[in-house]
Amino acid sequence: MSPTSTLRVFVTDDEAPARRKLLRFLSQETNVVLVGEATNGRDTIALVPETKPDLLFLDIQMLGMNGFEVVEALEKIFLPRIVFVTAHDECAIRALEIHAFGYLLKPFDQARFSKVLADARRQMEKDRRGELKVSLRELLKEVRPLCQPRLLVEENGRGTLIALNQIDWAEADRNYITLHIGAQAYTVRGTIERIEEKVDSERFLRINRSSLVRIDFIRELQKWTHGEYQVLLQSGQALMWTRRYLDRHSELLCKL
């Protein structure tokens, strides 16, 4: 692709301010046309094959599907060149550099954006030689174990990044959630629904309105009254699996 060719661009970011910044910076570039935007992975997978962009600016950390999961899905349908966007420098930045993928680390300015865009243009010729898919497969293999969803929590004036998939169980109380990890408990502002969206649904079980547990942290299930179950955790904590949530991972009940 020559520097004067029109570059077709798609933008995906679930944070509205970040998405607006990308769109604003794009509007100041020459020979660039925005063909679409999305706020989540599912819409990206649906719209990218329709709009056929040359370049996709893709947020890594999103609710539901993360950016790397989106790439895996697009590889089977239509795969443009990717520039990854992330606020988490600990999440695979080194892997992105090793495999020569452009990335924008939030917060970024117009100068950094323009440089990444220019680099992406230069990579288009390599894409046509079939190198993109090979590089992406190597990248995904390397980053998959690195990019678990994480949450920043504050304790005694210090911030700690917690890998959400390592949580033993979580309990909600109004607008706050307590995350239990081993002997530690961290309280953060938020909802149990938001935590549920971020964790692996194959590994975690929502058992009632306010409790989410890691399945392999469950020690025993006991039949209770009214068709409900008592869930005994490895820590000795007892929680109730209420009828409203029994259809989730119902295969566990077959073992009783």
Side-chain angles (χ1 to χ4, degrees):
M1 174 174 286
S2 71
T4 58
S5 300
T6 299
L7 188 67
R8 297 169 54 82
V9 177
F10 194 102
V11 171
T12 297
D13 198 308
D14 66 350
E15 297 178 351
R19 195 169 62 256
R20 286 196 295 267
K21 177 188 273 193
L22 284 167
L23 299 182
R24 186 173 71 253
F25 286 174
L26 277 171
S27 70
Q28 298 174 32
E29 299 287 340
T30 58
N31 301 316
V32 173
V33 59
L34 178 70
V35 297
E37 59 180 289
T39 62
N40 58 68
R42 185 162 296 153
D43 288 347
T44 303
I45 294 167
L47 293 173
V48 163
E50 292 181 6
T51 56
K52 292 184 169 50
D54 302 306
L55 182 65
L56 169 62
F57 283 92
L58 180 61
D59 190 17
I60 292 178
Q61 297 289 352
M62 296 185 292
L63 293 179
M65 303 178 72
N66 66 40
F68 296 117
E69 291 170 327
V70 171
V71 170
E72 287 184 290
L74 286 177
E75 185 182 5
K76 304 169 186 175
I77 312 170
F78 178 87
L79 190 63
R81 186 75 192 176
I82 311 287
V83 169
F84 292 100
V85 184
T86 180
H88 307 280
D89 58 353
E90 83 285 352
C91 185
I93 291 299
R94 178 170 170 76
L96 293 171
E97 292 174 339
I98 289 173
H99 296 287
F101 278 91
Y103 67 90
L104 285 167
L105 183 61
K106 299 176 184 178
F108 52 86
D109 56 17
Q110 179 78 55
R112 172 61 181 166
F113 176 85
S114 295
K115 180 183 183 304
V116 168
L117 187 67
D119 290 343
R121 282 184 181 275
R122 285 192 289 270
Q123 289 293 332
M124 294 302 174
E125 186 61 35
K126 289 186 178 182
D127 295 351
R128 284 200 284 270
R129 292 200 299 267
E131 296 180 11
L132 175 61
K133 285 192 175 183
V134 174
S135 298
L136 270 173
R137 290 190 189 112
E138 292 300 315
L139 173 66
L140 294 175
K141 186 187 303 182
E142 188 169 338
V143 301
R144 192 173 286 112
L146 299 178
C147 287
Q148 296 181 5
R150 296 172 188 269
L151 183 69
L152 180 65
V153 300
E154 293 187 6
E155 184 181 41
N156 300 323
R158 299 180 60 186
T160 303
L161 278 170
I162 292 177
L164 292 182
N165 285 338
Q166 300 305 311
I167 292 171
D168 295 328
W169 67 287
E171 59 180 331
D173 182 10
R174 297 184 181 180
N175 296 323
Y176 291 88
I177 307 166
T178 300
L179 308 174
H180 299 269
I181 305 177
Q184 297 293 317
Y186 304 91
T187 299
V188 297
R189 188 174 180 85
T191 65
I192 200 75
E193 287 79 14
R194 186 169 177 83
I195 298 297
E196 186 180 14
E197 287 175 339
K198 285 178 172 287
V199 298
D200 185 350
S201 61
E202 296 297 316
R203 297 181 58 196
F204 283 81
L205 173 65
R206 177 82 174 274
I207 61 172
N208 58 49
R209 183 181 177 187
S210 59
S211 301
L212 178 75
V213 302
R214 198 177 75 243
I215 293 174
D216 62 10
F217 193 64
I218 295 175
R219 187 181 73 202
E220 185 180 345
L221 295 174
Q222 297 179 345
K223 290 184 179 181
W224 209 246
T225 59
H226 306 297
E228 297 183 337
Y229 291 83
Q230 182 170 253
V231 179
L232 299 180
L233 305 183
Q234 299 288 351
S235 61
Q237 178 74 35
L239 304 171
M240 292 306 302
W241 190 356
T242 60
R243 284 181 296 174
R244 178 182 173 185
Y245 295 87
L246 285 179
D247 61 334
R248 307 185 183 197
H249 284 283
S250 57
E251 73 278 2
L252 295 177
L253 302 178
C254 298
K255 299 177 182 179
L256 295 180

